[in-house]
């Protein structure tokens, strides 16, 4: 098993934190086969809420698939205990927000999509936030100010 961390970076406007709520958050990724290096051309959904039977029958895993080119098994688990919010202090710097246990596979691309929780500087919680083209903007009536996420980027690192 290889541990791979998802890092994100972005600019936060009147936002105190950005969280991927567990276990229901779904990570959409493109995966590269560790054997033949082929990358899936479609986005693959991986979530801690998904429990599929592993091949050994002993454990359940969060994602299981077989490479359509070399037929090797690909297994991924969301390490929920590594879930970390992205905070104001982390602004414009890459920070690991979750790690995955990976066997036979490496994630290479991440799509933010939806399901995020954002807490504004005024404490208001926005749920099921969708980040499109690296951005999300809303308005906090209590703060009487716009709240937003801008220039959101991601990358994967070995941990
Ligand atoms: Zn393969």
């Amino acid at each position: 098993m290889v541990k791979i961390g998802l890092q994100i970076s972005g600019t936060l406007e009147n936002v105190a934190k950005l969280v991927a709520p567990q276990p229901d958050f779904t990570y959409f990724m493109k995966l590269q086969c560790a054997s033949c290096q082929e990358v899936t051309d479609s986005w693959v959904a991986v979530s801690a809420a998904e429990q599929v039977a592993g091949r050994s029958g002993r454990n359940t895993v969060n994602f299981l698939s077989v490479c359509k080119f070399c037929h090797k098994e690909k297994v991924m688990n969301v390490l929920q205990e590594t879930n970390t919010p992205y905070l104001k202090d982390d602004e414009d710097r890459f920070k690991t927000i979750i790690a995955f246990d990976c066997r036979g596979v490496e994630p290479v691309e991440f799509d933010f999509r939806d399901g995020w929780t954002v807490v504004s500087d005024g404490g208001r919680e926005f749920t099921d936030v969708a980040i499109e083209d690296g951005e999300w903007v809303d308005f906090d009536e209590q703060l009487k100010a716009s709240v937003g996420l801008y220039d959101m980027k991601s990358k994967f690192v070995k941990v």
Side-chain angles (χ1 to χ4, degrees), residues 32-38 67-72 74 104:
Q32 183 174 39
C33 175
S35 300
C36 72
Q37 314 299 317
E38 279 291 334
C67 177
K68 64 178 172 181
F69 298 97
C70 73
H71 310 292
K72 288 262 167 63
K74 303 192 268 197

Side-chain angles (χ1 to χ4, degrees), residues 35-48:
S35 300
C36 72
Q37 314 299 317
E38 279 291 334
V39 177
T40 51
D41 38 70
S42 53
W43 294 97
V44 169
V46 180
S47 167

Side-chain angles (χ1 to χ4, degrees), residues 75-92:
V75 174
M76 282 184 80
N77 279 305
V78 180
L79 299 171
Q80 281 188 77
E81 68 278 11
T82 65
N83 191 42
T84 308
Y86 192 81
L87 306 172
K88 191 79 180 172
D89 283 348
D90 305 316
E91 196 168 42
D92 298 322

Side-chain angles (χ1 to χ4, degrees), residues 14 139-147:
N14 297 317
F139 192 80
D140 185 333
E141 288 85 5
Q142 273 177 313
L143 277 179
K144 294 187 172 35
S146 59
V147 288

Side-chain angles (χ1 to χ4, degrees), residues 23-31 40-52 61-65 74-78 100 107 109-111 113-114:
D24 295 321
F25 190 85
T26 301
Y27 299 88
F28 286 92
M29 298 178 278
K30 287 190 179 175
L31 307 180
T40 51
D41 38 70
S42 53
W43 294 97
V44 169
V46 180
S47 167
E50 283 292 319
Q51 296 286 340
V52 295
V61 294
N62 298 141
F63 175 81
L64 175 78
S65 144
K74 303 192 268 197
V75 174
M76 282 184 80
N77 279 305
V78 180
F100 304 95
E109 224 183 306
F110 173 67
D111 193 4
R113 297 204 189 185
D114 51 17

